[in-house]
Amino acid sequence: MLVNSRVMLQEARRNGYAVPSLDFFNQTSLRAYIETAEALDQPIIVAYSEAFRNTLSIEEAAWMGKYYAEKVQVPVALHVDHGFSTDFVKACIDAGFTSVMIDASNQSLKENIRITKEIVQYAHPHNVTVEAEIGHVGSGENYESHEQTDSIYTEVEDAVLFAEQTSVDSLAVSIGTAHGNYRGTPILNFDRLRELRSAIPIPLVLHGGSGTGDANLKYCSELGIAKINLFTDLVNSGVESMKLAHTDDLIELTKASADGMKKMLQHYYNVFGRKED
């Protein structure tokens, strides 16, 4: 069932669990994610990143996402992850994506607000929800301790102003996670998360979920994170399953990769908590 992310994230925020958001890069990954959500009877967000544009076009991603979402009864949001240009994000909205992220977090607060407002004003008449980011979630490479990350914490006052002025539907915040592989387990600023949860009425999003640690992620969902982004752990699990398959048959390897991604996603549904009937 194809939906936008508004209701699923509001319900998650209200009931203390998080919806996984997973970047898909081909048909195998997309089907693995949606089939897992259907088997567990849980909502899911499947995401297409601008980084994949050279290997998977907007039109291909939109068609596949809509096709498989309509094959199941669970809510599926077809999301754009880290859209860095307004032209790209608008093209995805036109192609049928139901949720988008405009990422202008590397700009000044004033410019981030301006760009995000532009996307919100374009998306909402299309019944498309908008996520933005304030603060900065950096890279996990060579990240061994909190002091070494290039992430920038989200300031509460800035986040309140941003949410009020943009009318954004969800907000990605930075509390110490990073994208990619970690060399160590990050130290998260849960006090900042509590402050943000109390100050902002819209659902909060955590990027860089892979490698952050089950206990950290469980606590984040309980404290008000409604959406957690995952990619690296899913891909790594798929690769590991392919290695364990001990075959050079491409069809069997493809099946093994899907099984590995499904297994990891099932694990994270247990960590994040689940929607109850």
Side-chain angles (χ1 to χ4, degrees):
M1 176 171 54
L2 186 65
V3 300
N4 64 34
S5 63
R6 184 173 292 111
V7 172
M8 68 165 66
L9 294 188
Q10 289 173 347
E11 289 183 347
R13 172 189 164 94
R14 185 166 56 248
N15 294 301
Y17 64 90
V19 179
S21 179
L22 315 146
D23 283 7
F24 69 91
F25 50 94
N26 58 14
Q27 183 186 33
T28 299
S29 57
L30 177 63
R31 286 187 62 180
Y33 303 157
I34 293 179
E35 287 175 0
T36 302
E38 175 76 349
L40 298 176
D41 193 26
Q42 293 296 308
I44 192 168
I45 298 170
V46 292
Y48 168 67
S49 173
E50 189 168 357
F52 299 141
R53 193 172 186 178
N54 290 334
T55 55
L56 186 67
S57 72
I58 293 173
E59 293 76 17
E60 288 173 310
W63 184 87
M64 286 196 301
K66 289 184 285 186
Y67 176 82
Y68 287 110
E70 294 295 2
K71 294 291 184 181
V72 297
Q73 296 302 308
V74 296
V76 179
L78 180 57
H79 182 65
V80 174
D81 186 26
H82 290 288
F84 295 106
S85 71
T86 56
D87 287 345
F88 173 80
V89 173
K90 289 177 181 178
C92 289
I93 293 170
D94 293 341
F97 284 78
T98 60
S99 174
V100 298
M101 179 197 185
I102 178 67
D103 185 356
S105 62
N106 61 336
Q107 304 291 328
S108 67
L109 177 62
K110 181 179 179 180
E111 185 66 2
N112 194 354
I113 289 173
R114 184 195 68 78
I115 293 171
T116 302
K117 283 179 67 174
E118 179 182 341
I119 293 300
V120 169
Q121 291 168 358
Y122 191 85
H124 280 180
H126 292 82
N127 195 31
V128 173
T129 44
V130 180
E131 172 189 335
E133 181 174 316
I134 186 168
H136 177 66
V137 178
S139 170
E141 293 183 6
N142 301 319
Y143 180 9
E144 295 183 83
S145 70
H146 170 68
E147 289 76 15
Q148 291 174 303
T149 180
D150 59 346
S151 296
I152 301 170
Y153 283 154
T154 301
E155 297 293 338
V156 177
E157 290 184 3
D158 290 347
V160 170
L161 177 67
F162 186 90
E164 290 175 347
Q165 293 198 3
T166 61
S167 298
V168 74
D169 299 286
S170 60
L171 187 61
V173 295
S174 177
I175 58 169
T177 57
H179 297 107
N181 289 299
Y182 293 105
R183 291 179 63 183
T185 301
I187 300 171
L188 304 189
N189 189 335
F190 293 117
D191 289 338
R192 181 60 53 86
L193 176 55
R194 290 187 188 93
E195 293 170 357
L196 290 164
R197 173 64 169 79
S198 297
I200 302 170
I202 60 176
L204 301 179
V205 174
L206 188 73
H207 284 247
S210 293
T212 297
D214 291 354
N216 280 338
L217 294 176
K218 184 176 187 296
Y219 200 29
C220 282
S221 64
E222 292 171 350
L223 288 180
I225 292 292
K227 170 179 176 279
I228 299 177
N229 285 33
L230 298 166
F231 178 67
T232 303
D233 278 355
L234 277 294
V235 173
N236 288 347
S237 182
V239 170
E240 186 62 25
S241 291
M242 291 170 71
K243 292 177 180 178
L244 294 174
H246 301 297
T247 180
D248 57 3
D249 184 291
L250 182 58
I251 294 174
E252 291 301 314
L253 287 171
T254 301
K255 182 179 182 298
S257 70
D259 290 342
M261 288 185 282
K262 286 181 177 181
K263 182 178 180 181
M264 184 59 68
L265 179 53
Q266 289 169 356
H267 167 77
Y268 274 120
Y269 268 116
N270 290 331
V271 172
F272 297 171
R274 300 192 190 185
K275 176 182 178 180
E276 300 295 336
D277 293 332

